Amino acid sequence: MNKFMNMLENVLLPVADKLNNNRYLTALRNGFMVALPIIIFGSIFVVLANLPFLDKLIGEDAYQAYQQALSPASQATLTIMGLFVIMGIGYKMVEQRGGEAIYGAAVSIAAFLVLTPQVLGDTANVIPTSVLGAEGMFLGIFTAFIAAELYQLFVSKNLTIKMPQGVPSAVSRSFSALIPISLTLAIFLTIRILFGFTPYDTVQNFIYTIIQAPLTSLGSGLPATIIAVLLIQVFWFFGLHGQIIINSIFDPIWYALNDQNLEAFQSGADVLPNIVTKQFIDTFIVGIGGSGMTLAVLLAIFVVAKSRQLKDLGKLGIGSGLFNVNEPVIFGMPIIMNPLVIIPWLLAPVIVAIVTYTLMSIGFVPRPAGVIVPWTTPAILSGYLATGNNIMGSVMQMINMAIVFVIWLPFLKVIDKQYYATEQKAN
């Protein structure tokens, strides 16, 4: 066991450290956090617009009018969520360098729009909302990275307009940003013109065909999901926030898949296109007490605990665990570097991912509806909301909790016996 742990530590810790400190991944992660309140707002109104049995209570015509009244909330947020993510990434990229972050956000959005197709069917000079959401997410991310870097490069070369003293600071900062922004956007305009001579016509088509579509297909599969879930657990075992590290890599894929499901759900599709989405991970794995699904572990502690340490841990952790905050368990058991828990810690979420994926694939449980449920939403309720107000989502979470409970039970008995024996000796 010690050799295995040493090998994992030597191989994974350096990689995790680099990922955690990579400024591009940090900006990506923080960019999504900027957009998150807007995304959650839109998701709440998707839930409200699709309340179960409401059409039967108020009638079909009134229900359609009700949905139309609420639809701008999601159309102005979820449908164009890519814009908010791009803004956040550009802002955080320039902020990291100590620059005027607001201009990083502005130039990133402008550069993305320069590259974006401005035609819909036979109608010119319009921007399809689809390319401002999941379809344009990858292009938006790369564009924000490059635009922010170019802007900051031109600023560092002092390619700015210096205004005389006495000019208001807001005006001075605006003129200082003029040349860097103009040079940056000129580069992106040149890229757009050059792509017009290729078979792809636009950068948007190139990115989606060559990069985003294959990666999204890979990320939607069970093997990639198992690897992601397993890595989250491994990183946490060594004291690193696995969710943050893995989300930095997979979030663009999971959000794109999520958006596809939301569009299908809102259009009334019987079967949604994807099983693995952002909410598949957050609601049916992480969203049951936190990383490692520790709410079920706390319930098992209440069943088996004789030692004072585990009893106190259960009392301390259950309140926050209901809202998917599990630091008391992570550091109180502890989970970190504890060889007694490595097997259930790694195994339980992987088994849950496989079971959930299988039951959704056969139609026993609805696939996630694309609704972004706040991560602090208690289990059972979050499963109901994430599947488009379907009780089977709650049932799925209860099945998952039972799986974790059964896997952890024998290991908790061993841990409790050890703690109890130590406490008896101390007394």
Side-chain angles (χ1 to χ4, degrees), residues 191-265:
I191 293 172
R192 178 184 177 123
I193 293 171
L194 291 176
F195 262 89
F197 297 101
T198 69
Y200 299 101
D201 190 44
T202 66
V203 186
Q204 184 85 261
N205 292 337
F206 173 78
I207 290 288
Y208 191 76
T209 304
I210 301 299
I211 299 176
Q212 183 169 353
L215 280 180
T216 301
S217 177
L218 175 65
S220 65
L222 182 58
T225 304
I226 291 173
I227 292 171
V229 170
L230 186 60
L231 287 175
I232 289 172
Q233 299 305 108
V234 170
F235 286 136
W236 261 120
F237 184 77
F238 288 106
L240 301 167
H241 201 304
Q243 195 68 24
I244 289 178
I245 294 170
I246 297 303
N247 281 2
S248 298
I249 300 169
F250 278 88
D251 263 359
I253 298 172
W254 288 336
Y255 271 114
L257 295 167
N258 214 72
D259 204 42
Q260 292 173 11
N261 276 23
L262 179 62
E263 290 179 11
F265 176 71

Side-chain angles (χ1 to χ4, degrees), residues 64-85:
Q64 289 182 0
Y66 167 78
Q67 286 189 314
Q68 289 176 359
L70 297 185
S71 64
S74 61
Q75 291 172 354
T77 54
L78 294 177
T79 304
I80 59 172
M81 61 177 283
L83 284 182
F84 306 116
V85 174

Side-chain angles (χ1 to χ4, degrees), residues 138-159:
F138 269 64
L139 175 61
I141 290 169
F142 296 142
T143 300
F145 286 152
I146 297 170
E149 290 283 41
L150 287 173
Y151 166 80
Q152 198 61 27
L153 173 65
F154 295 136
V155 170
S156 68
K157 299 296 183 182
N158 290 318
L159 298 174

Side-chain angles (χ1 to χ4, degrees), residues 47-232:
V47 172
L48 293 176
N50 293 275
L51 292 173
F53 310 118
L54 187 59
D55 55 336
K56 303 295 190 298
L57 293 174
I58 65 176
E60 191 65 35
D61 291 340
Y63 182 62
Q64 289 182 0
Y66 167 78
Q67 286 189 314
Q68 289 176 359
L70 297 185
S71 64
S74 61
Q75 291 172 354
T77 54
L78 294 177
T79 304
I80 59 172
M81 61 177 283
L83 284 182
F84 306 116
V85 174
I86 293 163
M87 177 188 70
I89 293 173
Y91 187 98
K92 294 298 180 180
M93 284 287 293
V94 175
E95 184 183 56
Q96 289 172 359
R97 296 290 187 90
E100 292 283 350
I102 189 63
Y103 293 114
V107 74
S108 296
I109 291 177
F112 172 71
L113 293 176
V114 166
L115 296 180
T116 298
Q118 297 178 10
V119 60
L120 180 61
D122 297 327
T123 306
N125 301 319
V126 297
I127 299 177
T129 56
S130 61
V131 301
L132 304 180
E135 186 177 318
M137 186 75 72
F138 269 64
L139 175 61
I141 290 169
F142 296 142
T143 300
F145 286 152
I146 297 170
E149 290 283 41
L150 287 173
Y151 166 80
Q152 198 61 27
L153 173 65
F154 295 136
V155 170
S156 68
K157 299 296 183 182
N158 290 318
L159 298 174
T160 59
I161 298 174
K162 305 294 184 182
M163 300 298 289
Q165 290 185 349
V167 175
S169 60
V171 175
S172 179
R173 288 198 301 269
S174 180
F175 273 91
S176 294
L178 176 59
I179 294 177
I181 287 179
S182 297
L183 291 174
T184 300
L185 295 182
I187 290 173
F188 280 94
L189 179 59
T190 302
I191 293 172
R192 178 184 177 123
I193 293 171
L194 291 176
F195 262 89
F197 297 101
T198 69
Y200 299 101
D201 190 44
T202 66
V203 186
Q204 184 85 261
N205 292 337
F206 173 78
I207 290 288
Y208 191 76
T209 304
I210 301 299
I211 299 176
Q212 183 169 353
L215 280 180
T216 301
S217 177
L218 175 65
S220 65
L222 182 58
T225 304
I226 291 173
I227 292 171
V229 170
L230 186 60
L231 287 175
I232 289 172

